[in-house]
Amino acid sequence: IHIQENAKVTLNDVTVAGNRSQDDKGAGGVRLQYDNSRLVLNNSRICYNLADAGDGGGIYVNGDAAVVSITNNSSVDNNATTDSESDGGGIYIYDGSVVVDGTSQISYNKSTQRGGGIFLYDGSLTLEDGSILTGNVTKMEGGALYIDDWYDNTAKISADFIGNRAEEEEGGAIYVNDESDILVENAKFVRNSA
């Protein structure tokens, strides 16, 4: 699914599964491109998608004021990047914002470089109380979440991080690079490893 500038797509009770992106733009499942694009997941699932030559196995977000809302028991799970230098197995945020509500989860995604669950390059991320990041794996840093060193990145994190893994580097649950503004409160970290 490709969402262009100023477009809004709401997925109600929808599964996006088994898709594959083979160009360097990434986005195995859904790509938000350009400004003011919006995606709402409502009791929906983005799963088993692959990005073979780019970032974002499940969802790729790129656009000023682009917004993804993951709500009402939705999940982004079992997605992967396969190129040796790709980030964000579940979600890659190049520019924009993602909100995961307290009923939803990011789980069992895998990246070949950084950010098994989510990679935040430039933008904002909110993980609400009750949201779950579990079983995500990356080869390098940030098993569940990697936050890059872009100066205006912000994240509010109140999720449960369970059993995420960075195979060769640091940050089994979260890896935060320089210059980001991160608030962690009411979160749990259980059995993550690096």
Side-chain angles (χ1 to χ4, degrees), residues 5 9 18 22-23 26 34 37 39 52 65-66 76 78 81 94 110 133 154 161 163 168 188:
E5 185 174 11
V9 174
Q22 296 179 309
D23 63 27
Y34 305 122
S37 53
L39 171 67
D52 283 337
V76 177
N78 292 285
T81 62
Y94 183 82
K110 185 172 184 178
L133 286 84
T154 60
F161 291 80
E168 297 182 9
K188 296 179 183 176

Side-chain angles (χ1 to χ4, degrees), residues 94-154:
Y94 183 82
D95 187 13
S97 64
V98 171
V99 178
V100 181
D101 82 354
T103 68
S104 300
Q105 62 178 297
I106 312 298
S107 57
Y108 302 103
N109 302 287
K110 185 172 184 178
S111 74
T112 47
Q113 187 158 278
R114 298 168 296 181
I118 303 172
F119 184 102
L120 174 60
Y121 176 77
D122 180 15
S124 67
L125 173 67
T126 302
L127 302 174
E128 295 182 355
D129 190 10
S131 60
I132 298 172
L133 286 84
T134 186
N136 299 288
V137 178
T138 189
K139 181 179 179 182
M140 304 299 284
E141 300 97 342
L145 171 61
Y146 182 99
I147 301 174
D148 211 355
D149 56 357
W150 200 253
Y151 69 93
D152 58 355
N153 280 339
T154 60

Side-chain angles (χ1 to χ4, degrees), residues 165-183:
R165 186 170 82 254
E167 293 179 328
E168 297 182 9
E169 298 289 345
E170 297 85 11
I174 303 174
Y175 186 97
V176 182
N177 221 323
D178 303 332
E179 305 293 339
S180 295
D181 183 8
I182 311 303
L183 173 64

Side-chain angles (χ1 to χ4, degrees), residues 49-102:
N49 301 289
L50 296 174
D52 283 337
D55 304 306
I59 301 172
Y60 188 104
V61 185
N62 180 18
D64 185 43
V67 178
V68 175
S69 300
I70 300 171
T71 69
N72 190 22
N73 297 300
S74 293
S75 67
V76 177
D77 65 274
N78 292 285
N79 304 284
T81 62
T82 61
D83 181 79
S84 63
E85 296 183 352
S86 294
D87 302 314
I91 303 171
Y92 185 96
I93 308 164
Y94 183 82
D95 187 13
S97 64
V98 171
V99 178
V100 181
D101 82 354

